[in-house]
Amino acid sequence: QVQLVESGGGLVQAGGSLRLSCAASGPTFSSYTMGWFRQAPEKEREFVAFITWRGGNTRYADSVKGRFIISRDNAKNMVYLQMNSLKPDDTAVYYCAGNRGVATGWANDYDYWGQGTQVTVSS
């Protein structure tokens, strides 16, 4: 079983940057596809980015492409989301998620979820 804990959220002005971190526990973390999702108030949870287990394949939502970068360090059991040029529309709770190697942006395909970290971007 994998447990995920996000950190790094906060309040930032538009145009600023934040780096989210996700600490994973479990012996098989390095074999998991890891993703980031977000949910804004009164909106459905949406895909942000994923990275496959060796980091060779990444994918981003169109809304964050060119601004966000997902990365992972399997030796440290960590996944990161570097968020640049933040916009007020990026305000949401951000969730780290993992699945057993499926390269997908569908939330239902992810087996493990963190508790989320709040990101607020002021205009």
Side-chain angles (χ1 to χ4, degrees):
Q1 180 127 3
V2 174
Q3 292 185 327
L4 306 172
V5 179
E6 304 94 335
S7 61
L11 174 64
V12 64
Q13 287 189 330
S17 298
L18 280 175
R19 187 195 196 203
L20 303 184
S21 299
C22 174
S25 64
T28 59
F29 165 78
S30 62
S31 67
Y32 280 62
T33 291
M34 299 301 297
W36 286 96
F37 293 79
R38 67 186 182 186
Q39 187 166 17
E42 300 182 356
K43 292 188 177 181
E44 293 189 355
R45 189 170 298 189
E46 65 173 0
F47 165 72
V48 175
F50 75 71
I51 185 167
T52 53
W53 68 286
R54 283 183 174 176
N57 185 12
T58 59
R59 192 169 298 170
Y60 299 89
D62 288 343
S63 58
V64 306
K65 201 172 294 183
R67 299 188 297 123
F68 290 11
I69 300 171
I70 188 171
S71 62
R72 66 190 296 164
D73 185 336
N74 288 339
K76 296 181 179 179
N77 279 15
M78 295 293 293
V79 181
Y80 306 99
L81 185 68
Q82 177 67 43
M83 305 186 297
N84 302 319
S85 302
L86 283 161
K87 306 174 182 179
D89 283 350
D90 295 318
T91 295
V93 177
Y94 283 71
Y95 297 91
C96 175
N99 72 53
R100 295 181 178 88
V102 180
T104 175
W106 291 100
N108 286 345
D109 289 332
Y110 285 79
D111 305 300
Y112 305 104
W113 292 84
Q115 83 289 349
T117 185
Q118 176 71 47
V119 172
T120 302
V121 184
S122 63
S123 58

